[in-house]
């Protein structure tokens, strides 16, 4: 065995030298010859070897429920609704952590690596994916189909240092699932991937997907009805997470960076006053119920609030559809 | 039996002459035999690895360089391709595409950036430690781990690309996550990292203090709204740790990242033919090669060189045989009086002939066995000998 490894390491160099010494006539051939030769012409031996190689399959889950990783709760919800008992979900994100800012441990990474399919949200959502090793050939970017509709963030820092060029860490808004149409598109990608992986269960997957698709369509209709005739209304938001929702229903949502459980600082209230002056509105939407003190201060400023949850992580009681329906009900407070 | 004894006694009495004859035969047989054994091993090794690699994709140019690079990580292809080209190959859905970036090294051992699919494809398993998990992790081939004395948890620095370029990319300290099982291939003498880690080694990705919140005023030249300019004193991290990993980022889109070659594993011959057909045109940014064909072509050239060597060996062997015939003829002439005495003592002419034939056969067989033993020893020791030669 050592001899083989030796040849692997050492002999390419003298072999090349020998080729050059021989005049390397082959190197003068037209490069098209490389591809243009007989595609079948590598002989029986190679065909045999190739057949042996063709048994290599990365995704071989025959006889076992495929393990499917989803990178946030909405994707997990869609996957579980479509795949049901036919799949085994892998979701190592702790319930109290925002999956967008989660940093997986090596053990988490190995759990993700064990998955047969990795459903990612895309749109720069999984920043942690840049710093871990994943099985790239198993990654499915569920938002790739509408990547041309990603919303670029405006407040990215541009910087330069050393001899390198100026660069920015700009990203895109990533809460794609708050637009039910995008959510439906992502669910469709999940359905198609699972259907390809589980061809024997096509009808069951299709049926599950149809039910989910109808629910998402109904949700889109509910939001549309709630906002009807109120397009271009200005609303303040506690966090810049509603870009896709605002785009879908033509709302003018102006975002702050406030946490529901923290009372904003004096600087933040000054910024609020300036923004409010430029964008007069009576309403502010929050990801969660704001602190009592914040509620009182907002009332003093003449601004009422509603909760519009993003459903980014696994809820304790409701599911994605129920949360979105509740959001639609809350919106009615603004527009009725 | 008596003839054998007499032949043995004769050779023992003429040790010097017998030893010269044995050495002549052994050396004449040694050279072609050893060349044959070495080339057989060499061909077998190359053919095995090449035929186990269905397709190789890379920038247009020397197909030998590209194939050797993708199979052995030794030569560098003239140009890199982009990750976007790899994604395009993947989008054809005609096979698994495994990108490689093997431009860098650590202590002169190639550092190969790739994906986990490479380990599945080459059937490489981790014998000690764990596989790749985080940016900056590496798994080390068996021989490389022995040569560098590495165990899981150790660190190794990558080699600077150009030692005279002090402003060039900094070495990156890699964390040894695991050691691979011995495979008997070029993979034993390589260090494997995630392809994203290879891009960090290339300086396309890096980690540093957050310039908006953490960078000190000493390194910030200008801070204007969302535009911050720092000087070169802003330190990039040279080691990726759990504490600083989130500060690592890449400049540019993933599609623009460099890839030196890609291995393509179609599920069947039809997919391979379709894929090659799609990348056949002159406008294609890639060339798609069948490594088996390229290696066959290289071996044909090598065999052509071997034919010259063989012709030389035949001439040398011919002259040696003539020399041996001369030596034997002269020896028999010198032994004329000795043989005459044997006839007078009543020894049959046939017995005398048998005696001489046995002596010659013993010399011939001993010479050939010696050549075989020397050849086998050379094949065993060739790795060490040639490595010593290539290092001096």
């Amino acid at each position: 065995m050592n001899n083989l490894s030796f040849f692997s390491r050492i002999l390419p160099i003298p072999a090349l030298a020998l080729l050059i010494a021989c005049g390397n006539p082959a190197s003068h051939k037209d490069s098209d010859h490389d591809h243009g030769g007989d595609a079948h012409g590598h002989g029986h031996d190679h065909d045999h070897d190739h057949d042996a190689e063709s048994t290599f399959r990365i995704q071989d889950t025959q006889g076992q429920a495929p393990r499917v990783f989803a990178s946030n709760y909405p994707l997990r919800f869609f996957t579980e609704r479509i795949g049901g008992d036919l799949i085994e979900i892998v979701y190592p994100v702790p319930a109290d952590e925002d999956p967008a800012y989660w940093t997986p441990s090596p053990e988490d990474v190995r759990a993700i690596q064990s998955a047969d399919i990795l459903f990612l949200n895309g749109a720069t959502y999984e920043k942690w994916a840049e710093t871990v090793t994943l099985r790239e050939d198993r990654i499915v970017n569920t938002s790739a189909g509408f990547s041309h509709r990603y919303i670029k963030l405006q407040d990215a820092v541009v910087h330069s240092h050393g001899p390198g060029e100026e660069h920015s860490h700009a990203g895109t808004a990533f809460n794609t699932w708050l637009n039910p149409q995008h959510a439906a598109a992502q669910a469709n990608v999940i359905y198609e991937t699972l259907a390809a992986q589980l061809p024997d269960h096509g009808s069951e997957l299709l049926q599950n997907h149809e039910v989910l698709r109808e629910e998402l369509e109904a949700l889109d209709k509910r939001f549309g009805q709630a906002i009807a005739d109120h397009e271009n209304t200005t609303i303040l938001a506690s966090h810049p997470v509603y870009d896709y929702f605002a785009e879908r229903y033509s709302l003018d949502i102006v975002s702050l960076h406030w946490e529901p459980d923290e009372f904003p600082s004096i600087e933040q209230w000054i910024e609020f006053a300036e923004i409010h002056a430029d964008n007069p509105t009576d309403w502010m939407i929050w990801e969660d119920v704001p602190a009592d003190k914040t509620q009182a201060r907002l009332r003093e400023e003449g601004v009422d609030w509603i909760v519009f949850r993003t459903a980014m992580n696994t809820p304790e009681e409701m599911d994605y559809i129920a949360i979105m329906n509740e959001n639609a009900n809350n919106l009615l407070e603004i527009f009725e | 039996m008596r003839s054998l004894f007499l032949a043995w006694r004769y050779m023992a009495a003429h040790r010097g002459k017998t030893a010269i004859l044995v050495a002549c035969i052994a050396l004449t047989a040694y050279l072609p035999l050893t060349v044959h054994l070495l080339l057989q091993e060499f061909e077998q090794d190359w053919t095995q690895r090449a035929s186990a690699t269905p397709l190789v994709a890379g920038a247009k140019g020397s197909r030998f360089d590209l194939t050797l690079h993708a199979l052995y990580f030794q030569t560098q292809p003239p140009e890199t391709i982009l990750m976007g080209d790899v994604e395009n190959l993947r989008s054809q859905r005609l096979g698994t595409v495994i990108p490689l970036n093997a431009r860098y090294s650590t202590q002169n051992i190639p550092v190969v950036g790739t994906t986990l699919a490479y380990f599945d494809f080459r059937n490489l398993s981790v014998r000690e430690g764990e596989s790749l998990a985080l940016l900056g992790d590496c798994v080390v081939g068996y021989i490389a781990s022995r040569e560098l004395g590495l165990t899981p948890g150790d660190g190794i620095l990558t080699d600077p690309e150009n030692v005279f370029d002090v402003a060039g990319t900094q070495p990156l300290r890699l964390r040894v996550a695991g050691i691979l099982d011995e495979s008997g291939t070029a993979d034993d003498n390589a260090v494997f990292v995630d392809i994203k880690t290879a891009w960090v080694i290339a300086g396309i990705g890096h980690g540093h203090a957050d310039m908006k919140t953490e960078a000190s005023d000493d390194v910030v030249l200008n801070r204007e709204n969302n535009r911050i300019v720092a000087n070169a004193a802003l330190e990039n991290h040279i080691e990726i740790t759990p504490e600083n990993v989130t500060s690592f980022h890449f400049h540019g889109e993933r599609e623009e990242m460099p890839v030196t070659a890609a291995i393509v594993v179609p599920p069947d011959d039809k997919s391979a033919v379709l894929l090659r057909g799609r990348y056949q045109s002159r406008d294609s940014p890639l060339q798609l090669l069948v490594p088996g064909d390229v290696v066959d072509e290289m071996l044909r050239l090598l065999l052509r060189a071997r034919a010259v060597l063989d012709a030389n060996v035949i001439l040398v062997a011919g002259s040696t045989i003539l020399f041996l015939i001369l030596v034997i003829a002269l020896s028999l002439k010198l032994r004329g009086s000795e043989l005459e005495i044997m006839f007078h003592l009543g020894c049959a002419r046939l017995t005398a002939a048998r005696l001489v034939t046995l002596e010659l056969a013993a010399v011939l067989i001993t010479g050939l066995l010696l050549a075989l033993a020397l050849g086998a020893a050379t094949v065993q020791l060739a790795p060490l000998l040639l490595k010593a030669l290539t290092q001096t």
Side-chain angles (χ1 to χ4, degrees), chain B residues 92-111:
Chain B
Q92 309 287 323
R93 293 181 177 277
L94 289 170
T96 303
V97 184
I98 305 166
L100 300 172
N101 187 321
R103 219 177 182 87
Y104 304 95
S105 62
T106 173
Q107 299 186 39
N108 293 322
I109 290 173
V111 173

Side-chain angles (χ1 to χ4, degrees), chain B residues 104-371:
Chain B
Y104 304 95
S105 62
T106 173
Q107 299 186 39
N108 293 322
I109 290 173
V111 173
V112 183
T114 186
T115 62
L116 291 176
Y118 184 84
F119 302 98
D120 295 335
F121 170 61
R122 294 280 189 218
N123 285 323
L124 298 173
S125 53
V126 175
R127 66 182 288 151
E128 221 181 314
E130 300 282 354
S131 185
L132 303 173
L134 303 178
L135 201 67
D137 281 357
C138 68
V139 288
V140 185
Y142 181 77
I143 291 173
S145 73
R146 292 288 172 273
E147 285 185 359
L148 301 178
L150 295 171
T151 54
D154 289 346
I156 38 169
L157 276 177
T158 58
D159 299 332
E161 203 171 5
N162 182 348
V163 289
F164 301 109
D165 182 10
V166 288
T169 54
Q170 290 179 317
L172 181 73
R173 187 176 167 83
L174 302 172
R175 191 188 76 87
V176 179
I179 309 293
L180 293 173
D181 264 326
E182 188 174 14
S183 66
T185 67
D187 299 324
D188 286 343
N189 201 40
V191 172
F192 293 93
V193 296
D194 188 293
I195 195 159
K196 295 190 288 290
T197 303
W199 296 332
V200 173
I201 298 169
I204 306 165
H206 63 191
H208 53 72
D210 186 337
M211 291 176 64
K212 201 172 182 183
T213 58
E214 295 171 27
S216 73
D217 291 340
D218 297 342
V219 299
V220 176
L221 297 173
N222 184 25
R223 198 190 293 266
E224 194 178 310
N225 296 327
N226 285 333
R227 185 173 297 276
I228 304 171
V229 179
N231 60 31
L234 180 73
E235 271 187 44
N236 288 333
H237 302 305
I238 64 157
E239 183 173 7
I240 304 168
T241 63
E243 290 74 36
N244 68 23
V245 69
T246 51
S247 75
F248 275 81
H249 54 273
F250 295 92
H251 295 167
E253 296 298 319
R254 181 182 161 82
E255 288 69 27
E256 296 163 5
M257 298 292 157
V259 171
T260 52
I263 292 171
V264 186
V265 190
D268 48 47
D269 285 345
K270 186 183 169 190
S271 303
V273 171
L274 281 172
L275 207 52
R276 291 182 67 201
R278 289 180 192 177
Y279 283 86
Q280 204 173 14
S281 78
R282 284 180 184 276
D283 300 331
S284 164
L286 306 179
Q287 61 173 331
L288 219 56
L289 304 174
V290 178
D293 290 354
V294 178
V295 167
D296 277 353
E297 194 176 346
M298 290 170 69
L299 290 177
R300 275 201 300 276
L301 288 167
L302 286 173
L303 290 176
R304 201 182 298 172
R306 192 168 78 169
V308 176
L309 199 66
D310 287 346
N312 181 49
V313 166
I314 288 167
L315 289 175
V316 172
S319 65
T320 307
I321 288 165
L322 289 173
F323 170 72
L324 285 175
I325 290 169
L326 181 68
V327 168
I328 291 161
L330 288 172
S331 172
L332 287 174
K333 195 169 185 180
L334 281 172
R335 292 174 67 185
S337 56
E338 176 196 333
L339 293 170
E340 200 62 34
I341 292 168
M342 287 171 70
F343 298 144
H344 285 305
L345 289 172
C347 174
R349 285 190 178 276
L350 190 66
T351 306
R354 195 165 58 208
L355 205 61
V356 171
T357 308
L358 274 173
E359 287 167 18
L360 286 174
V363 166
L364 198 67
I365 289 167
T366 309
L368 289 175
L369 285 175
L370 189 62

Side-chain angles (χ1 to χ4, degrees), chain A residues 107-180:
Chain A
E107 291 70 35
D108 294 331
V109 174
R110 290 196 179 93
I112 299 169
Q113 287 175 353
S114 74
D116 302 297
I117 304 169
L118 277 66
F119 287 129
L120 301 191
N121 188 76
T124 70
Y125 182 83
E126 295 87 2
K127 292 188 178 60
W128 54 266
E130 281 194 350
T131 59
V132 303
T133 300
L134 300 178
R135 293 193 170 274
E136 294 194 357
D137 50 307
R138 302 181 187 185
I139 290 175
V140 179
N141 177 358
T142 55
S143 67
F146 55 86
S147 58
H148 58 286
R149 293 185 61 187
Y150 287 165
I151 299 172
K152 289 224 175 214
L153 294 175
Q154 300 299 317
D155 60 348
V157 174
V158 176
H159 70 259
S160 63
H161 48 92
E165 290 178 3
E166 190 174 77
H167 54 273
S168 135
H169 299 166
T172 54
F174 51 65
N175 295 62
T176 52
W177 61 91
L178 293 182
N179 174 345

